[in-house]
Amino acid sequence: MIGITETICQMETVNWLQQSWDSLLKTLNIPSERSEPIWKELLMRYQESHRQYHNLLHLRHLLKQWGEHEDLMDEPIGVALAIWFHDLIYEPLRPDNEEQSARRAEQILLSWQVDQALVQRVKLLIEDTAKHMPGTDLLDNRLFLDMDLSILGSEPDAYVTYARQIREEYYQLPEAVYTAGRIQVLDRFLQRPFLFFTPAFRQRFELIARQNISNELTRLATQVP
């Protein structure tokens, strides 16, 4: 029964995403015969078996947030494209996922003859996710990173699920190695003066995000030999 429920949820998510994708490509005047191969590539990538968190649901979550904040953006189409492509390449143990995703996005957009300025904007947005720090002070860059990290400020149970999914993506690492690395990542986040770069996200998520991270660090500390 659970399998059937998951399948229905997956189908509903794919249908929702396809409508969003079709709407975006219509705005860019990209005909379906040119966009269809990329849609199939996106589906294949975001459904890779090792993706427990960086998958279609993550994509849908970000696109919903994009819809909620579109009116604040200078170049909403650029942010939408960055959302679609930012995790296109995702192998947890490789150090250049963001660079490779940005490069693939650039290839695709140039093949569609998208304006060069927009292509470069998308590329920079994706590259910012490598360190989750905005490369410029543009509001779009800050909003995009805040949306990507908003999971940190989710309800405690949802955060625990997220943390478990991240661990599952790093299944190749022994527990001690993963725990040490995860503690380093979380400590670096807590050392920042703030996690979120826009007032709206900071007000909504900052305190709960810091509490969630602290709680995870406490749990991880019990696993340190």
Side-chain angles (χ1 to χ4, degrees):
M1 197 67 174
I2 294 177
I4 294 175
T5 302
E6 289 177 348
T7 300
I8 293 172
C9 179
Q10 185 86 342
M11 290 173 60
E12 194 272 333
T13 296
V14 169
N15 289 336
W16 188 95
L17 287 170
Q18 181 150 32
Q19 291 177 20
S20 176
W21 173 255
D22 290 344
S23 176
L24 176 62
L25 272 291
K26 184 177 180 180
T27 302
L28 288 168
N29 295 314
I30 308 298
S32 59
E33 61 267 20
R34 297 181 66 191
S35 64
E36 184 66 18
I38 307 305
W39 166 248
K40 291 179 179 178
E41 179 181 349
L42 287 163
L43 274 186
M44 179 192 73
R45 290 287 189 180
Y46 281 97
Q47 294 184 96
E48 290 169 329
S49 60
H50 62 272
R51 294 179 185 247
Q52 300 302 306
Y53 173 72
H54 294 89
N55 53 27
L56 294 177
L57 289 176
H58 173 57
L59 201 57
R60 180 175 182 175
H61 173 71
L62 289 183
L63 288 167
K64 283 187 172 183
Q65 289 198 328
W66 176 86
E68 294 171 7
H69 298 91
E70 178 185 2
D71 59 334
L72 300 176
M73 299 173 187
D74 296 319
E75 191 74 66
I77 296 302
V79 177
L81 288 167
I83 288 171
W84 277 101
F85 294 124
H86 80 290
D87 284 327
L88 184 58
I89 308 299
Y90 181 70
E91 295 289 343
L93 298 184
R94 70 182 295 167
D96 62 345
N97 287 307
E98 296 83 8
E99 178 185 345
Q100 294 300 321
S101 294
R103 184 177 300 175
R104 180 65 184 127
E106 182 180 35
Q107 291 171 345
I108 292 167
L109 296 177
L110 289 177
S111 74
W112 288 344
Q113 298 180 318
V114 172
D115 179 74
Q116 275 275 6
L118 180 58
V119 174
Q120 290 308 306
R121 198 159 191 173
V122 172
K123 191 167 179 279
L124 290 173
L125 284 166
I126 296 171
E127 289 172 346
D128 278 355
T129 62
K131 295 182 179 179
H132 282 97
M133 291 291 291
T136 75
D137 196 41
L138 293 173
L139 179 59
D140 286 1
N141 295 64
R142 291 181 282 133
L143 277 170
F144 176 52
L145 291 179
D146 282 357
M147 291 188 293
D148 196 32
L149 285 184
S150 62
I151 185 64
L152 300 180
S154 58
E155 292 298 317
D157 287 349
Y159 182 92
V160 169
T161 298
Y162 149 76
R164 174 180 53 78
Q165 290 169 336
I166 295 297
R167 175 64 183 107
E168 290 172 354
E169 289 187 340
Y170 285 85
Y171 67 93
Q172 294 168 309
L173 293 181
E175 196 67 38
V177 174
Y178 174 80
T179 297
R182 182 69 174 169
I183 287 173
Q184 285 186 348
V185 170
L186 296 177
D187 275 337
R188 283 199 295 268
F189 274 125
L190 287 186
Q191 288 167 16
R192 293 185 179 187
F194 46 79
L195 298 170
F196 298 96
F197 300 101
T198 60
F201 276 80
R202 199 175 301 162
Q203 182 177 9
R204 182 179 176 186
F205 294 117
E206 185 79 21
L207 291 179
I208 185 62
R210 287 186 176 275
Q211 187 60 59
N212 281 334
I213 291 172
S214 296
N215 290 344
E216 184 180 358
L217 283 168
T218 299
R219 291 191 295 270
L220 290 169
T222 66
Q223 301 173 29
V224 176

